[in-house]
Amino acid sequence: MEEKTPTFDPNQGTEQHRAGKTDKSRRRFFKLLGGGIAVTFVLQDAFALLSDSGSAPSPRKAFADEVDAWLHIGENNKVTVYTGKVEVGQNIRTSLAQVVAEELQLPIGSIDMVMGDTALTPYDAGTFGSRTTPSMGPQLRRAAATAREIVLDLAAKEWNTDKHTLSISNGQVLHPGTNESKTFGELTKGKEFLKPLAGDVPLTPASAWKVAGTSVPKVNGEEILTGKHKYVSDMKLPGMLYGKVLRAPSFKASLKSADLSAAKALPGVVAVQEGDFIGVAAPDPQTAEKAIKAIKVQWQEVPQPSRAELFSFLKENASGGGGRGSTRKGSIERGMNTATQKLKSSYTVDYIAHAPMEPRAALAQWENGHLTVWTGTQRPFAVRDDLARAFGLPQEKVRVLMPDTGSAYGGKHTGEAALEAARLAKAAQKSVTLTWTREEEFTWAYFRPAGLIEVYSGVTEDGTLTAWEFQNYNSGASGIHTPYVVPHQQIQHHPVDSPLRQGSYRGLASTANIFVIESQMDDLANLVGMDPLAFRLKNLDEPRLRAVFEAAAKGFGWGSAKPAPNHGFGVGGGTEKGGFTATCAEVAVDPGSGEVKVVRTTTAFECGAVVNPAHLDNQILGAIVQGLGGALFEAVDFGNGKILNPHFAQYRVPRFKDTPAIEIIQLDRKDLPSAGAGEAPIVGIAPAIRNAIAQATGIRLKSLPLVPKGMKGMLGSR
Amino acid sequence: MELRINGKKRTVTADAKTPLLYVLRDELDMTGTKYGCGEGQCGACTVLLGDAAVRSCQIPASAAQGKEITTIEGLAQDGKLHPVQQAYLNEDVFQCGYCASGMVMSTVALLRAKPKPTEEEIIGFMNGNVCRCGTYPRILAAIKEAAKA
């Protein structure tokens, strides 16, 4: 395409300092995007990313407000948004397009989202921590609004009128005085406009939203329903081989000896040994499997703790406290002196698995010293950096792309399959695809941390909390602080060198911490003879949390409805990542079989202004169902470095039959900024179920999962 | 080996024992059918043999010979979605969507066997299909909608 110099830039002054040194990058950028365009840059990284020197943007502070994205309006009125965020089922491909459509007054179909491609999108630390909606969303809104103002300025100049008299609708600027209209493309006339994000650009308030705030359907719903969407494990390249890795028999095992000759002798097979890594690439998966089996190998295994000793291990191997989240206020001793009732409890939480339906997968291609890897990861840029490091390549010679992936839930922060596929592809000098088996996913991925949590709490007769000591071994810091008003608190987080590989999870440690807080609150209410909800509200100031407790209780019929015999009601809630949630649950416990069934739940959730009610509903629904698994039965069993239940037949996940009637109440706060919603709604379900079981049976369970084998044998002890 | 898939005859070279799933995905590039566990435990690989839903990871390709195999790619006709797909689309069911084709194929089999299933029958039939995103209530709503259509 012919390169042009901008002849008019409404905000040229602000950009001049950059323009000189970035001319070259700018030309490349426009060349890449093509067409006559108006562009809004967000931050200078865009220039670096596209510069000839290849100095890719470097990771800065992960959660700064400086979230990068850029947006391009083509001559055909097509808007393309470039963001490093990725889609793993949260439906942000839809919700981000919605906020852009809102500010530009365009149909949602005019917006194309380019996501998680390290060659095309600006650096992004990753898609986690419920950060997309509160940080990327507003940046894209500003970017879109900035572009809108450029278009209005152009129209005002063209028609020689005040831009405030003009309006925008359906990709056109309208001149109400003359009834003239021009599309965005017609106004930009093939010229190039480069503008940084304007901080002071007017944004459409949530109360005036027409596209954002509505239930726009999943933008690629039809591709998914027809099987056309290509997940990484579906992608193919000509001549590609199928990779498979030889796994150690247990964690931390080291290779003593290996003989790959029989594998290498198989037709078309490439077998690789690099240190303790052994893998093969073969023309088809069956041959790859045969080749792996043909490798003769000896391992040196090391003894390791097993699940039976997990919680004593965590306590004995804990650091002295002081981990992230540790705080102290007042004095536990003084708080306890004013208490009339004291309660000391110890809770345990097992490791659980994310078990995404699409296991880890990658497709790797080497071409002229450049490595391209398609992989399902929440952190494509981190995986790019890992690959660059592993192969001694500069970052610009590695490209990682992330097509919409078969879920993650915090479980895909890493790039194991990417590294494996790239190693095999390098050795084979052919593209290699590699998909982990379910057993590999259950074994070699990472888990939500297990934990031991000890609570010592004091309360007065009238139900006022006086002291709260919270000792958390290994679970982690998220949600560790009680949201209730307690004058004397000591909160300690003791990190432990975990026996199993552990990492992020939906809601992180708050699934454990809030379970414990809300269980303990229930037992304290019981101790002072108060209604559990009234007891919470008596000790709670935070208005947003109060509001969801009250809304959930009202919807559920708390206080008005009474549980049937062998049924119980329970409540639990908390706040995490800017979302506020409360869940009421009804359980039925069969006195004969001991089977525990969650009959119905009501969840009230508030995360500021709702961007897409139907998809928010879906996230809350998903959190309730997933949380129900961790509450009732999910647990990773392990012994001596081996996972003992690495199959769906052994590791039970929630199914249709486990799903209760789920009622969801959204509190849409159009006056508050939108927060993420993929994680927070998970935190109330486990304590609500636990507390409902307590009401039904009198048994106050203290472990997650609560009833992996039902309650047979427990009920007689009443 | 000759297979009949979505109304077309396909000749495949895979070993007779190779599970149908891999023949579809790897040899025929029909990747709408998903690998979820390879153990018949999750339903992601569900296809139809005749009118019956089967886990394609569990049956050797040879066992599908002589039968009509229907996959997700064969449901829409002339660019028009199958009523079950349309119902799922209307309900905006999915999050990650990886379980989608297995869910849809199981639903098609259910409604062929029982055009007006009760809620209990739906839940019983669909219990072998896992949606880790937890969209079960929406799937249930979509199946009820499809049964009305």
Side-chain angles (χ1 to χ4, degrees), chain A residues 405-471:
Chain A
T405 285
S407 78
Y409 321 113
K412 289 180 180 168
H413 282 208
T414 46
E416 299 87 347
L419 203 58
E420 291 162 0
R423 276 179 155 181
L424 294 171
K426 192 172 187 208
Q429 298 187 313
K430 281 183 181 169
S431 305
V432 168
T433 182
L434 187 145
T435 301
W436 280 19
T437 63
R438 179 55 55 191
E439 183 173 336
E440 286 177 307
E441 182 66 37
F442 265 123
T443 305
W444 298 98
Y446 55 84
F447 306 102
R448 182 199 67 185
L452 168 70
I453 299 176
E454 296 170 341
V455 196
Y456 184 35
S457 52
V459 64
T460 57
E461 260 165 45
D462 71 342
T464 306
L465 292 167
T466 62
W468 184 264
E469 186 188 338
F470 198 86
Q471 304 285 346

Side-chain angles (χ1 to χ4, degrees), chain A residues 35-358:
Chain A
I37 45 186
V39 175
T40 300
F41 272 92
V42 182
L43 296 183
Q44 64 274 36
D45 280 357
F47 296 104
L49 188 64
L50 289 151
S51 71
D52 284 327
S53 68
S55 56
S58 54
R60 292 183 311 264
K61 45 193 180 199
F63 294 134
D65 279 339
E66 301 176 2
V67 177
D68 300 357
W70 63 63
L71 179 151
H72 165 246
I73 305 178
E75 262 180 314
N76 54 2
N77 270 6
K78 268 280 195 189
V79 173
T80 311
V81 175
Y82 296 82
T83 167
K85 295 292 177 203
V86 293
E87 175 67 61
V88 285
Q90 342 80 303
N91 282 327
I92 60 169
R93 180 178 292 281
T94 305
S95 63
L96 291 177
Q98 278 180 267
V99 298
V100 170
E102 180 65 53
E103 297 300 342
L104 282 166
Q105 290 301 310
L106 274 172
I108 199 94
S110 309
I111 294 159
D112 189 22
M113 302 288 302
V114 176
M115 302 174 78
D117 178 341
T118 64
L120 294 182
T121 67
Y123 173 82
D124 188 89
T127 306
F128 51 79
S130 289
R131 299 302 302 165
T132 301
T133 300
S135 58
M136 181 57 74
Q139 293 295 77
L140 286 182
R141 283 177 70 194
R142 277 182 219 119
T146 307
R148 180 193 65 212
E149 295 304 311
I150 296 174
V151 172
L152 284 172
D153 285 335
L154 289 169
K157 190 165 189 239
E158 176 129 354
W159 291 324
N160 196 20
T161 183
D162 176 4
K163 82 168 178 180
H164 296 103
T165 65
L166 305 175
S167 66
I168 277 192
S169 169
N170 211 10
Q172 293 192 326
V173 183
L174 310 172
H175 190 326
T178 62
N179 274 336
E180 276 180 286
S181 68
K182 274 188 188 280
T183 66
F184 297 171
E186 285 166 351
L187 286 163
T188 52
K189 288 183 196 157
K191 291 174 195 160
E192 293 166 359
F193 303 95
L194 193 58
K195 196 168 178 293
L197 187 74
D200 55 352
V201 68
L203 298 179
T204 311
S207 56
W209 280 350
K210 294 189 192 75
V211 184
T214 67
S215 294
V216 171
K218 186 176 182 71
V219 288
N220 51 352
E222 190 163 331
E223 282 87 82
I224 281 170
L225 276 166
T226 49
K228 284 185 186 132
H229 172 68
K230 294 282 182 195
Y231 296 87
V232 169
S233 43
D234 301 330
M235 294 179 144
K236 289 193 165 59
L237 288 169
M240 111 191 154
L241 300 178
Y242 291 81
K244 193 157 182 64
V245 174
L246 180 73
R247 302 293 174 190
S250 58
F251 301 127
K252 298 173 187 167
S254 54
L255 197 62
K256 270 166 72 181
S257 68
D259 176 1
L260 283 69
S261 55
K264 286 179 176 165
L266 289 166
V269 170
V270 177
V272 184
Q273 181 183 0
E274 289 169 15
D276 280 6
F277 173 84
I278 296 178
V280 301
D284 59 76
Q286 291 71 36
T287 308
E289 186 151 357
K290 209 186 286 174
I292 285 289
K293 283 186 180 148
I295 295 170
K296 293 184 194 73
V297 66
Q298 283 191 302
W299 297 92
Q300 179 72 51
E301 298 190 59
V302 289
Q304 290 162 65
S306 295
R307 185 180 172 204
E309 58 198 296
L310 172 61
F311 302 112
S312 56
F313 176 94
L314 293 180
K315 181 122 194 216
E316 283 157 19
N317 290 275
S319 68
R324 202 160 55 87
S326 301
T327 52
R328 178 194 285 271
K329 189 168 101 180
S331 139
I332 293 294
E333 197 190 343
R334 273 193 286 141
M336 285 300 174
N337 286 340
T338 59
T340 52
Q341 305 263 27
K342 295 166 197 173
L343 182 64
K344 200 174 232 174
S345 307
S346 181
Y347 298 83
T348 60
V349 176
D350 263 297
Y351 291 106
I352 60 179
H354 309 81
M357 287 313 293
E358 183 184 23

Side-chain angles (χ1 to χ4, degrees), chain A residues 89 218 225 230-231 233-234 236 285 353-354 357 409 437-438 614-615 618 622 634 647 654-657, chain B residues 25-26 29 31 34-36 39 41 72 85 89 92-98 126-127 132-133 136 138:
Chain A
K218 186 176 182 71
L225 276 166
K230 294 282 182 195
Y231 296 87
S233 43
D234 301 330
K236 289 193 165 59
H354 309 81
M357 287 313 293
Y409 321 113
T437 63
R438 179 55 55 191
H615 289 172
N618 212 343
E634 284 184 42
H647 304 279
R655 291 174 182 265
F656 278 93
K657 282 185 182 168
Chain B
R25 289 180 54 81
D26 302 329
D29 198 19
T31 54
K34 304 299 180 205
Y35 167 86
E39 297 159 351
Q41 294 291 328
I72 191 77
Q85 288 171 312
L89 192 67
D92 199 6
V93 166
F94 291 112
Q95 293 178 32
C96 85
Y98 195 77
M126 299 297 292
N127 205 50
R132 191 64 170 141
C133 298
Y136 299 124
R138 288 184 169 218

Side-chain angles (χ1 to χ4, degrees), chain A residues 653-670:
Chain A
V653 295
R655 291 174 182 265
F656 278 93
K657 282 185 182 168
D658 301 308
T659 308
I662 297 173
E663 183 193 8
I664 293 165
I665 300 165
Q666 296 181 12
L667 302 183
D668 187 5
R669 288 288 302 270
K670 292 196 188 299

